[in-house]
């Protein structure tokens, strides 16, 4: 992005984790880069977020009763692993969705 004609780039790095019906993102680093240099914003992120990760519920995108059991992230893609037990595999299962309480 640009501000007053100066190009500004920003980078936020997080560690993602699968946790039941949620994805958890723990901030790992943050920086802003301009032609004048780079500013490390990790301390600002630590003060705003602290040690508490950001949790995003994804239950409404999963079949009812499904749990995220794994997450593998590469620069090209993210692969989620789901677990579900004691269900009948039919169209009703695939059409039903969980909910974010």
């Amino acid at each position: 992005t640009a501000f007053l004609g100066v190009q500004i780039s920003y980078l936020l790095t997080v560690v993602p984790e699968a946790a039941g019906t949620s994805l958890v993102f723990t901030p790992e680093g943050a920086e802003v880069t301009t032609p004048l240099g780079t500013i490390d914003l990790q301390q600002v992120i630590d003060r705003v977020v602290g040690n508490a990760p950001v949790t995003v519920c994804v239950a409404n995108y999963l079949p009812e009763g499904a749990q995220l059991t794994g997450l593998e992230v590469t620069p090209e893609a993210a692969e989620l692993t789901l677990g579900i037990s004691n269900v009948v595999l039919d169209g009703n299962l695939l059409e039903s969705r969980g909910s974010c309480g």
Side-chain angles (χ1 to χ4, degrees):
T1 191
F3 180 72
L4 298 175
V6 176
Q7 273 305 117
I8 300 173
S9 300
Y10 52 90
L11 175 66
L12 175 64
T13 54
V14 297
V15 175
E17 178 183 0
T21 58
S22 298
L23 291 172
V24 178
F25 300 97
T26 303
E28 188 175 68
E31 62 183 38
V32 172
T33 303
T34 71
L36 303 173
T38 299
I39 302 167
D40 183 357
L41 297 178
Q42 184 61 45
Q43 290 181 349
V44 174
I45 296 296
D46 290 344
R47 288 186 184 168
V48 172
V49 178
N51 290 332
V54 175
T55 301
V56 178
C57 179
V58 295
N60 53 328
Y61 299 105
L62 303 174
E64 190 171 1
Q67 300 281 311
L68 297 173
T69 58
L71 173 63
E72 179 122 3
V73 179
T74 66
E76 295 81 28
E79 181 178 312
L80 294 167
T81 306
L82 301 178
I84 192 166
S85 59
N86 299 324
V87 296
V88 176
L89 293 175
D90 63 10
N92 291 331
L93 171 70
L94 298 177
E95 290 176 8
S96 70
R97 295 288 179 259
S99 62
C100 296

